[in-house]
Amino acid sequence: LAKTTQPISMDSYEGQEVNITCSHNNIATNDYITWYQQFPSQGPRFIIQGYKTKVTNEVASLFIPADRKSSTLSLPRVSLSDTAVYYCLVPNSGAGSYQLTFGKGTKLSVIP
Amino acid sequence: KAGVTQTPRYLIKTRGQQVTLSCSPISGHRSVSWYQQTPGQGLQFLFEYFSETQRNKGNFPGRFSGRQFSNSRSEMNVSTLELGDSALYLCASSSGQGANYGYTFGSGTRLTVV
């Protein structure tokens, strides 16, 4: 089973760029790395997904190196509303089974 | 477009009882997956159903089971409840099987076992 590692918490001032890295030891060959955002009392919400190199959408960028053993979520110019927990999701396969492993989550606190 | 609906939102059960949770996916989505979220273990994958068949399963005991109906709605059942089963249970739907399609999560069912 894959193991993922991401920082437990991060603080940032409003307007700054925030980078959160998730490292993992195993990822299924054909699968994407996905990041989710979760607010209290809500289910996780899809942010961005990528396979390799860089992906950008209207809210974030995702950087994945060639070896695909990590990914970095980049949030440009964070605001107070970005205060949430961020999870990486890494699919992996082993012993003939397909597993989904979430990171433990990074609690981002944005300070005014 | 309606989101993923989970019922009930809150549930209190006694040790040894069984419980059934329900999930209605986004219209047109054929995959439903279930997750357990606790402060200690975080988000853990339970299983995924696609076209009424269980496709993938996490590392949970057989007390945890599920099913999916022809309209893609899904139920999860936990038998012989233990105190450690207290958690937020989340379901998610997607248009295809597997994480590559991206999941839309419901708000969860908060289960408390006493």
Side-chain angles (χ1 to χ4, degrees), chain B residues 14-73:
Chain B
T14 305
R15 253 186 318 176
Q17 286 187 314
Q18 74 163 12
V19 66
T20 299
L21 312 181
S22 180
C23 174
S24 293
I26 288 175
S27 178
H29 282 190
R30 295 168 61 194
S31 169
V32 173
S33 51
W34 288 88
Y35 306 83
Q36 181 194 67
Q37 186 172 33
T38 60
Q41 298 298 319
L43 272 162
Q44 296 188 87
F45 169 68
L46 281 156
F47 30 66
E48 179 176 22
Y49 285 85
F50 183 79
S51 295
E52 302 178 63
T53 303
Q54 187 180 94
R55 304 291 178 156
N56 300 301
K57 189 177 187 302
N59 296 319
F60 278 81
R63 298 186 298 107
F64 292 82
S65 63
R67 59 178 176 169
Q68 187 180 33
F69 302 96
S70 58
N71 61 359
S72 294
R73 191 177 70 84

Side-chain angles (χ1 to χ4, degrees), chain A residues 16-70:
Chain A
Q16 289 189 327
E17 178 185 75
V18 171
N19 295 308
I20 306 173
T21 297
C22 170
S23 302
H24 50 268
N25 59 354
N26 183 21
I27 182 170
T29 303
N30 299 318
D31 281 279
Y32 287 64
I33 297 170
T34 313
W35 283 79
Y36 290 85
Q37 174 193 55
Q38 187 176 28
F39 297 109
S41 302
Q42 294 184 25
R45 184 176 72 99
F46 176 96
I47 301 175
I48 196 167
Q49 181 180 72
Y51 184 81
K52 209 160 38 176
T53 64
K54 179 182 175 181
V55 178
T56 299
N57 62 20
E58 62 277 7
V59 298
S61 294
L62 181 60
F63 302 90
I64 302 171
D67 65 7
R68 303 208 325 127
K69 290 187 181 299
S70 67

